[in-house]
Amino acid sequence: METRSRAEPQFPASPAFPVGKMVARRRKRVAGDLEAGVPSPPGYYAIPIKFSAKQRASHYLYVREHRVREGTQSAWPQKRTLFVLNVPPYCNEECLTRLLSPCGTVQSVELQEKPDLAESAKEPKSKFFHPTPIPGFQVAYVVFQKPSGVSAALTLKGPLLVSTESHPVKSGIHKWISDYADSVTDPEALRVEVDTFMEAYDQKIAAEEEKAKEEEGVPDEEGWVKVTRRGRRPVLPRTEAASLRVLEKEKRKRARKELLNFYAWQHRETKMEHLAQLRKKFEEDKQRIELMRAQRKFRPY
Amino acid sequence: MGPAPTGQQLRGATGGPEVIEPSFEGTGKKGKKPSSRKRGVTESQAENLLQPVKLSKAELYKEPTNEELNRLRETEILFHSSLLRLQVEELLKEVRLSEKKKDRIDAFLLEVNHRIKRVPSTPESELTDQAWLPAGIRVPFHQVPYTVKGSFHFLPPAQVTVVGSYLLGTCIRPDITVDMALTMPREILQDKDLLNQRYFRKRALYLAHLAHHLAQDPLFGSVRFSYTNGCHMKPSLLLRPHGKDERLVTVRLHPCPPSDFFRPCRLLPTKNNVRSAWYRGQSPPEDGKPDPPTPHYNTWVLQDTALGSHVQLLSNVLGSAPGLKDGVALLKVWLRQRELDKGLGGFSGFLISMLVAFLVSTRKIHTTMSGYQVLRSVLQFLATTDLTVNGISLCLSSDPSLPALADFHQAFPVVFLDPSGRLNLCADVTASTYHQVQHEARLSMTLLDSKTDDGFQLLLMTPKPMIRAFDHVLHLRPLSRLQAACHQLKLWPELQDNGGDYISASLGPLTTLLEKGLGSRLQLLAHSRPPVPEWDINQDPPKHKDSGTLTLGLLLQPEGLTTVLELGPEADQPEAVEFRQFWGSRSELRRFQDGAIREAVVWEAASLCQKRLIPHKVVTHLLALHADIPDNCVHYVGGFLDALLQGLKETSSTGEEALAVAICYYDDLSRMLWGLEGLPLTVSAVQGAHPVLRYTEVFPPTPVQPACSFYEQLRERASLLPRLDKPCPAYVEPISMVCHLEGSGQWPQEAEAIRRVRAAFQLRLAELLRQQHGLLCRATATHTDVLKDGFVFRIRVAYQREPQILKEVRSPQGMISLRDTPESLRLERDTRHLPLLTSALHGLQQQHPAFSGVARLAKRWVRAQLLGEGFSDESLDLVAAALFLHPEPFTPPSSPQVGFLRFLSLVSTFDWKNNPLIVNLNNELTAEEQVEIRSSFLAARTRLPVMVIITPQDRKSSVWTQDGPSAQILQQLVILAAKALPVLEKQLMDPWGPGDIRTVFRPPLDMYDVLIHLYARHIPRHRQAVDSPAASFCRGLLNKPGPSSLMPVLGYDPPQLYLAQLRAAFGDLALFFYDQHGGEVIGVLWKPTSFQPQPFKASSTKGHMVVSQSGELVLLPNIEAILEDFAVMGEGLVQAVEARSERWTV
């Protein structure tokens, strides 16, 4: 791991260097990099990727074989999975499949916001209720059918083109208009979705209630009986708010019984307390004044 | 900035020249204003943050000393609170002269005394023969008419005495002046000098000679003339020390006669001392009419004779009472902040000292009182006593030869007599000035009585310049026009009295005229006092017409502004004639509904913004009619900013009416919802949740009627879609509202299920509204869009318990507790806080009709500065609301202009770091609660957002500023506001017109690293731009509204969609700035921190590339590719990506 401070001394501080020249130098260096092979972090292989042939500069996908430490669970099959970093926002699953299929048949592509070992163990979310967020740069897990796909991908030269004549990818106005069209929902489909969900939900609730009813009043192995709200004598719900309320009530009851200003020491103490309050206020005020003075807030001109 | 290769490293350390940049390096705390540069740069910013006080137990509970107890008791008795006491002490320390400076001044005064005594005398000559004066000296006096009898010769003064505040120890910094009275020897003066300005001319010649000799002395850095209190009959000589002490002190020389030289009975207010025959050059009056009295002239002479006795009196009263001196100093500061103390007829420090002396003599003030108590008592007295009706007198004698108070009331508007009983100290004070003082005193008293605000700050530290204090301001220029006005108003006696000063002569009658004409529209009318000029001794004194402009400030009465009718008396009554005369041709006979036939004046005004400008019409009409001042001499500043709220086509309204129409349709729709039949649960509440419904949407929505050919049509879903080959269609933002459904056991208790049930309700609502009211509806899972009369409303169904269900967390023990989650907070904000806020602000608009204009101007400005994304709509509305609910030390604004100025001033001066902005909607918070809020704020400061706005509904968390602004954005806004305020105020106070009023609305673009230029074709709100384009694109709307069977395109704004994508992709690397109201450019600012080379990490590769630096591999943003991405992602919208700085070069 290198740090910034170690990287710094590399640059000679030469104030006379004209800016324009530096830019030129930078360009040249990039070109040189391309000839010599793109630098890539250890263990990764860099594949240039561009939106289309028109672009001059390219992003780099950093790819490696997906590996996990011994004993760690991973949802993706070892050997066959390619781990891809820095996938540009305009490159979606379909597009990535197309770009990597020359290396071998792609079984699945999963795009994620950040590296995550456990495959998102989710059933497909409803598009009505969970709209997909706007993508940024993502990471991808690409599962090939054969391990050879991975090794082939690790030698891809690139640059990969996201949008080509045969497979254009929409961007800008095109994309927004089609997104808008997609956002106009079909009420029938929505109705069907809601109905199926609610049916399943009702069944689930009914089953739960059934179970609760069966358990009602039946002692478990150790002989404990579960008391619920639905029983014959409903009890206080077990919520934090309710328990706090009870505590508060107790406290008030106790406070009512207490006598104030009865003993001489109590009297003395209230006086002292008052003085302490004043002192504290005074200190606070002094601090405020100090601050205001620092901000030169006492100049009426 | 260093050379390119090192640029990146340097950047972290030094910061570039960009305005916003330094704050990026801060630790997230707000930076300081540039004014604080005196403090060391190294000082850590944390020191500016108030920390909760921690005192050890031993310190808190130690035995009190006697001294401490005394001080505490004193504080309790003499001051409001200990904070106030400390503040007052600090202020006094700041304005008082230090002993060291005093010594230097004393030494200088001694020198001055010597030099004056050594000035040689001159031989006697006629007053009109001024050949003896050396060539370089001009007499500081307008000698009109020139011929006057009498002779003059110079003799050194019989006595030189220091008078005034320096002697009393009540002078305050800055501009220390020491007044010196030079008693002219008797030999110079003659018996009849009182007549026809002879005394004043001698006085001027005396000064001219003195000036000539003193100017040759190397002791003085500058020797100049000025007027005493702005009175042009009485020049005075200003001496300033030479060298580095030049700014230390100004010594003012006042020649005066021996105190018993003039017979007092000749100087009564009823006596004439300027003969008409002489003044107007006529032969003696033919009709035997007596000469008119010259009360002001007499007073000016009397003032000179009484200099010594007044100082005597004041030093007797104030001499041994430090509390009184403090009080006078505080009062002077108070007057100065209100611009009341300067110029002819100002409420000077001398006047206020005399008032203190009066209150001591009537035992309203005791000599042991503290400065704060003196301030309070004087304000109380001013607030409750009307000196224009009941004058007061310091005179104790009951000598019958003394004139009665009534005589003085005849001659002067304000009466306050000195101990001699002959001199009116308030002779030059006009009634308007006094009323202004009274008004200010009243405001200050209510402020002092309310315990919630920081009275000290508002009372003594907040300046109240005219343009920020008054709703409308008008300039009269050129001033020479007033000369004609004097003739039209027949003010010859006054001119004679004032020695030809037509401004002072006409001021009183003009203000009375306008006050009468504005009537119920006006709360207060104030006028500026001409500034006191200074000029070189070799120049002629400035002419009256050169003394700047006359500026009048109008404080309007919002209730009076709503009427367009000026109701006069019935036609057959004698007052009708007077009414007709007053209004001239504008007065018409009208028959009213109750059968009465009356004289009346009707002003044409349809919209609120036109009604607000009726005073303009009144003023120009009356001035032209009665004072012969044509309307091109009246520059009325009241509605210049309205242009920024007006649509391109609509110039007659600032949109309040259009908003009211939208609200009307909203009311209709909510009634429909209430009455809907067939919903499984009844509607329990319908609430608005959109800026339109609280009158704060910058550009009010208009009914839309889409031209179908312009769109792609999606018939099966009754919707229109934008078309690729057409420009972007008009932007239609649905007006959101919340529809609460009653609680019921049938609601599921699980978040996902509730969502489904809500969706079912949305569908059902759409269906029922279509069936029962024939409205076009479109339902989605979260809302239902309804097209009603061209307006689109977005109804969100809400279930009261849903936030709570989202919050529920079950602990392993089975205990259910409530924990806020982002989702629950969002839901609570949208369905609970937002409707409450919307209705509260809607109510505010009903009380203060200017609220809408102010809030919208403020929002417009913030967005025009490209900072709109950082601030939620609601937070800006609340800041605007604060101007109305907590206007102190002003009154609630009645015009958008003054409200906007105060918005800028509030934003730029408020200490967001150490204070929450409390917006006490509906006055629900008590003073105690506010104190508690403040203290809990301090304790929780680090956990709260940078900008904290507290409302009665939201006492802890500041809901509307949770997601921004960031410290940097807020800081940027503060800087911009601080820059915009003086620019705008200068423009508005410029008597010759504001120039380009949009200047402060144009954003500075030079600070951005990259500019993304957009095609206007795809900016739907292009026409709303600050500089409205001459031509724009057709947006697919028909002119005449009618029924539509297809839902228009909703919320489709390509620049916003583009920005959302940019932020998602590059939010870590850069900030994006854009004006949603038709901006054509997006500003991009790279975040310096993301340009540090970083070691490779799998999670931070986004948009970066690996670069080898001296054999090490580091991550850097792939700038070139990113710049190309900007163009790719905005294809069709982006015209050009302009990289402006090379800062990112590696």
Side-chain angles (χ1 to χ4, degrees), chain A residues 85-112:
Chain A
L85 280 173
N86 203 23
V87 182
Y90 35 74
C91 182
N92 54 17
E93 278 100 343
E94 178 200 342
C95 178
L96 210 54
T97 312
R98 178 165 52 78
L99 291 176
L100 291 176
S101 51
C103 310
T105 322
V106 176
Q107 185 184 326
S108 73
V109 174
E110 176 77 33
L111 279 172
Q112 288 187 349

Side-chain angles (χ1 to χ4, degrees), chain B residues 755-1053:
Chain B
R755 249 175 240 152
R756 290 336 190 263
V757 173
R758 272 202 286 120
F761 271 113
Q762 300 289 7
L763 289 166
R764 186 96 182 120
L765 263 184
E767 205 173 298
L768 291 176
L769 281 171
R770 185 162 46 235
Q771 281 169 9
Q772 295 176 17
H773 298 283
L775 296 177
L776 178 63
C777 300
R778 191 169 75 191
T780 70
T782 50
H783 55 256
T784 305
D785 291 327
V786 181
L787 178 68
K788 185 176 187 311
D789 300 296
F791 291 100
V792 180
F793 293 93
R794 176 162 286 182
I795 307 172
R796 286 189 65 172
V797 168
Y799 169 47
Q800 237 100 14
R801 260 179 57 81
E802 192 177 350
Q804 200 180 344
I805 289 168
L806 285 174
K807 277 189 211 172
E808 277 180 2
V809 185
R810 189 181 287 268
S811 71
Q813 284 83 33
M815 170 82 87
I816 295 172
S817 48
L818 301 179
R819 295 283 174 272
D820 287 338
T821 63
E823 209 176 345
S824 79
L825 286 176
R826 201 176 322 124
L827 191 68
E828 227 173 5
R829 189 186 69 195
D830 291 345
T831 61
R832 204 172 74 81
H833 291 294
L834 189 55
L836 280 177
L837 178 76
T838 305
S839 78
L841 292 184
H842 181 274
L844 188 69
Q845 168 70 14
Q846 309 307 318
Q847 286 171 37
H848 301 284
F851 169 68
S852 170
V854 175
R856 288 157 59 215
L857 262 184
K859 235 189 279 190
R860 163 111 233 218
W861 179 77
V862 173
R863 288 175 183 170
Q865 300 299 327
L866 311 190
L867 297 174
E869 308 288 331
F871 296 84
S872 65
D873 227 54
E874 295 77 16
S875 63
L876 292 174
D877 289 348
L878 279 171
V879 174
L883 300 171
F884 289 84
L885 294 167
H886 310 282
E888 297 84 1
F890 303 98
T891 48
S894 294
S895 75
Q897 168 187 303
V898 74
F900 178 60
L901 289 174
R902 285 189 215 159
F903 170 81
L904 291 180
S905 134
L906 174 74
V907 167
S908 58
T909 56
F910 194 82
D911 183 5
W912 295 101
K913 209 189 302 172
N914 291 311
N915 288 299
L917 181 70
I918 298 180
V919 185
N920 197 356
L921 292 167
N922 300 328
N923 237 339
E924 279 174 52
L925 294 173
T926 62
E928 292 76 42
E929 281 171 325
Q930 293 189 36
V931 170
E932 202 189 306
I933 285 171
R934 279 175 206 282
S935 58
S936 62
F937 165 84
L938 275 192
R941 184 62 193 110
T942 46
R943 271 165 285 144
L944 290 167
V946 278
M947 185 178 178
V948 178
I949 301 178
I950 301 286
T951 62
Q953 286 81 35
D954 168 29
R955 301 185 182 198
K956 291 241 163 64
S957 53
S958 186
V959 173
W960 306 114
T961 56
Q962 286 289 349
D963 304 334
S966 63
Q968 294 84 21
I969 299 289
L970 181 64
Q971 171 68 4
Q972 176 68 2
L973 186 79
V974 168
I975 291 173
L976 286 172
K979 277 190 187 150
L981 182 63
V983 172
L984 188 57
E985 285 191 340
K986 191 157 168 273
Q987 281 184 321
L988 294 175
M989 279 308 266
D990 184 351
W992 298 101
D996 186 359
I997 202 75
R998 292 166 199 265
T999 311
V1000 296
F1001 282 83
R1002 296 198 188 100
L1005 289 179
D1006 44 349
M1007 56 182 257
Y1008 297 107
D1009 295 326
V1010 181
L1011 293 182
I1012 305 176
H1013 297 272
L1014 309 179
Y1015 281 116
R1017 185 180 159 87
H1018 286 292
I1019 306 174
R1021 287 184 272 185
H1022 188 222
R1023 277 187 194 279
Q1024 296 179 355
V1026 169
D1027 291 298
S1028 203
S1032 190
F1033 294 86
C1034 168
R1035 299 293 177 196
L1037 292 183
L1038 296 178
N1039 279 333
K1040 50 176 196 304
S1044 169
S1045 59
L1046 295 175
M1047 187 64 89
V1049 175
L1050 298 180
Y1052 175 70
D1053 188 0

Side-chain angles (χ1 to χ4, degrees), chain B residues 644-647 654-660 662-663 689-702 731-736 791 838 841 845 851-860 863 873-874 877 1021 1024 1053 1076-1077:
Chain B
L644 286 150
L645 293 177
Q646 285 162 345
T654 45
E656 284 89 349
E657 287 75 21
L659 286 166
I663 290 174
H690 192 267
V692 167
L693 302 179
R694 50 178 187 261
Y695 290 94
T696 61
E697 179 73 21
V698 177
F699 290 97
T702 46
Y731 181 70
V732 179
E733 191 176 299
I735 301 170
S736 48
F791 291 100
T838 305
L841 292 184
Q845 168 70 14
F851 169 68
S852 170
V854 175
R856 288 157 59 215
L857 262 184
K859 235 189 279 190
R860 163 111 233 218
R863 288 175 183 170
D873 227 54
E874 295 77 16
D877 289 348
R1021 287 184 272 185
Q1024 296 179 355
D1053 188 0
Q1076 65 194 76
H1077 294 297

Side-chain angles (χ1 to χ4, degrees), chain A residues 2 59 171 240 285 293 297, chain B residues 82 90 1112-1114 1125:
Chain A
E2 62 188 358
H59 281 292
S171 76
E240 202 177 31
D285 292 346
R293 198 184 298 148
K297 275 214 177 153
Chain B
S82 62
E90 282 298 322
E1112 291 187 63
L1113 294 172
V1114 290
D1125 283 351

